[in-house]
Amino acid sequence: MSKPHLMRFNPIFDKINTYNNLVQICHDKIRNAVKKRLNDIININKNNNYTIGISFSGGLDSTLMTYYTLLETSEYNNINIDLFNLSFDKTSPDRITGIISYKELINKFPNRKINLILIDKEYNTDITPNFQKKILNLIFPRNTHMDFNISSAKYLSTTKKGFLVDKNKLLQYFKNTEIINENLINKSEEKTYQNNIMTKKIQNFEYDKFTIMDKIYTSDAKIILDGLGADEIFGGYLRYKNGDIENQMKRDLDRLWLRNCGRDDRVCGENLVELRFPYLDKDLMKFLGCIQDMKQIVDFDKPRGEGEKYLLRKVAKDLIGFKLCHKFEKRAIQFGTKIAHHTNVHKYGSNNKANGKAQFEEIK
């Protein structure tokens, strides 16, 4: 397509300006988008054991994808769900949100087999010169720091090997340790765009109390659901706050194939994995394109963690009843996993001096 944004923004769409059932309709559209990407799996494996993988940061997008995947496979106990959570630091935002959102999911689906796989990496031992060359070859001609960081995180998370969280021990840990409490929830309501890092209010986890650390779990998932597109169609990027949001979203959609799709497909394909993107569903995008008032979808007059992807957050909070995942701020994978922090320090000597648009040069 010469103009992919027409799937999301098209003047021929009949506009709607009554919003009584907007949250319910959005819920149905996302659920159907996930269903379409699972139909062949379910039809072929009704009587066979099968594993569906999900790129899982524990943020809003990935938690909702997991929720709908569990809904659509609720009749099939033979279908397991593996959640891949990558981190270069055990206190990284994605690790914190991943564990909390996993706990919320197993509370809602107590009888399902949902595996949270913690993929721990060390910059100095895992991002070797040979690894850098491999990633740069796969992502060519994309060669910026941002491309390298994102692609490295995608590659490592789709290796599908890590430490398995013991579900029952995790639930007991949460009972014994006051991590999520009303004070934390109330504090999260006070956020502004200047004071907004909710994960800094959450204490560090004692992993040894709920993680099987004496062996590596290897998933057999071949298809992984990925949250690409959620920010572009629901308005998740903070840069949309300044300027013409609709034109910025159009621009991002039109370059998505160049900046993300081909690059990510090559990187993850190297691990014999196929990515599928529920948020890039045509029917979902058309529904959003029919909504006359953009503030029903994204509203930057509201605090961070509420205004961006406003409609999606309302689905998670008002309809599904999640307590915390709908409050988590958007964090790109390179920042959520903290890989960008390490590459920036190695390249520039300081994370504050980083330039994500600069060409990535192999670090010896």
Side-chain angles (χ1 to χ4, degrees):
M1 295 180 66
S2 59
K3 297 180 179 178
H5 76 262
L6 290 176
M7 288 191 291
R8 169 65 176 81
F9 298 96
N10 197 316
I12 69 170
F13 290 162
D14 293 329
K15 300 296 183 181
I16 58 174
N17 51 26
T18 56
Y19 307 121
N20 295 337
N21 297 319
L22 214 55
V23 173
Q24 180 64 54
I25 297 171
C26 187
H27 161 85
D28 295 340
K29 292 292 183 182
I30 302 171
R31 180 174 181 176
N32 195 51
V34 171
K35 180 180 180 179
K36 281 191 271 184
R37 282 145 190 87
L38 299 177
N39 275 339
D40 60 330
I41 295 172
I42 293 172
N43 290 335
I44 294 171
N45 296 282
K46 286 181 177 178
N47 300 310
N48 304 316
N49 290 328
Y50 193 85
T51 302
I52 298 168
I54 296 176
S55 297
F56 190 75
S57 67
L60 176 69
D61 312 333
S62 62
T63 305
L64 281 176
M65 269 197 313
T66 306
Y67 175 82
Y68 290 116
T69 300
L70 288 161
L71 274 186
E72 289 305 317
T73 59
S74 59
E75 299 178 17
Y76 307 100
N77 289 327
N78 56 303
I79 295 181
N80 302 321
I81 310 298
D82 281 357
L83 310 179
F84 305 114
N85 182 270
L86 173 69
S87 179
F88 281 80
D89 183 331
K90 290 184 178 181
T91 63
S92 72
D94 281 6
R95 180 53 51 85
I96 293 170
T97 56
I99 290 172
I100 289 174
S101 294
Y102 174 65
K103 191 259 185 183
E104 288 205 78
L105 285 163
I106 56 180
N107 281 345
K108 289 187 176 296
F109 298 92
N111 298 320
R112 291 297 302 275
K113 186 172 182 181
I114 315 168
N115 295 320
L116 177 61
I117 301 147
L118 305 181
I119 303 174
D120 291 336
K121 296 298 177 181
E122 296 286 340
Y123 187 88
N124 292 330
T125 55
D126 292 298
I127 310 300
T128 62
N130 285 338
F131 177 87
Q132 295 172 49
K133 289 178 182 177
K134 181 174 189 173
I135 296 299
L136 290 171
N137 285 334
L138 288 170
I139 68 177
F140 180 84
R142 307 296 302 174
N143 64 353
T144 66
H145 264 254
M146 181 180 72
D147 287 301
F148 177 83
N149 289 332
I150 294 172
S151 301
S152 297
K154 293 275 190 182
Y155 178 89
L156 292 169
S157 65
T158 53
T159 56
K160 305 175 295 184
K161 296 180 180 180
F163 299 111
L164 191 64
V165 170
D166 185 307
K167 178 175 76 171
N168 294 325
K169 287 184 178 179
L170 180 71
L171 291 174
Q172 189 61 47
Y173 177 78
F174 270 80
K175 284 182 181 178
N176 296 339
T177 310
E178 191 179 42
I179 297 171
I180 300 177
N181 54 61
E182 289 304 317
N183 185 44
L184 172 65
I185 293 172
N186 292 335
K187 278 184 179 180
S188 72
E189 302 290 357
E190 301 168 4
K191 292 181 297 182
T192 67
Y193 280 89
Q194 287 70 43
N195 179 27
N196 51 39
I197 309 303
M198 181 177 178
T199 49
K200 288 186 177 180
K201 301 184 177 88
I202 301 172
Q203 67 187 67
N204 296 336
F205 294 106
E206 301 168 277
Y207 292 93
D208 58 321
K209 293 190 176 180
F210 55 79
T211 307
I212 304 170
M213 303 294 291
D214 57 349
K215 64 179 179 179
I216 296 291
Y217 174 87
T218 301
S219 171
D220 60 356
K222 298 295 185 186
I223 292 172
I224 295 179
L225 299 187
D226 188 279
L228 177 66
D231 295 297
E232 287 80 2
I233 68 170
F234 282 98
Y237 293 118
L238 292 188
R239 65 176 183 270
Y240 294 158
K241 188 173 185 287
N242 303 310
D244 185 341
I245 181 171
E246 184 171 320
N247 281 330
Q248 289 188 67
M249 290 169 75
K250 287 178 180 178
R251 182 168 174 259
D252 281 345
L253 284 168
D254 283 347
R255 64 186 181 179
L256 199 64
W257 68 272
L258 174 65
R259 298 186 73 188
N260 301 86
C261 296
R263 179 198 67 195
D264 295 351
D265 184 64
R266 293 191 298 276
V267 166
C268 298
E270 188 75 2
N271 288 322
L272 304 180
V273 163
E274 175 193 331
L275 298 182
R276 296 185 180 181
F277 310 106
Y279 291 109
L280 292 179
D281 182 76
K282 290 187 294 182
D283 292 334
L284 173 60
M285 285 194 273
K286 183 177 179 180
F287 156 70
L288 294 172
C290 291
I291 298 172
Q292 184 81 36
D293 181 8
M294 180 65 79
K295 283 201 169 186
Q296 298 293 327
I297 301 170
V298 50
D299 185 356
F300 286 112
D301 290 336
K302 300 183 183 301
R304 186 176 177 187
E306 182 180 348
E308 72 277 24
K309 292 184 285 194
Y310 174 63
L311 178 58
L312 201 58
R313 294 180 189 278
K314 283 181 71 67
V315 171
K317 177 185 178 182
D318 298 345
L319 200 148
I320 298 175
F322 283 118
K323 294 185 181 298
L324 281 178
C325 83
H326 68 90
K327 302 171 184 285
F328 292 143
E329 307 93 342
K330 158 70 181 175
R331 281 188 181 274
I333 189 172
Q334 67 269 34
F335 304 118
T337 61
K338 283 198 171 181
I339 185 174
H341 172 86
H342 292 285
T343 57
N344 292 339
V345 169
H346 276 71
K347 171 67 176 178
Y348 299 102
S350 168
N351 190 42
N352 295 328
K353 298 178 181 178
N355 180 358
K357 296 181 180 179
Q359 181 175 339
F360 184 88
E361 298 175 0
E362 294 174 37
I363 303 169
K364 306 301 181 183

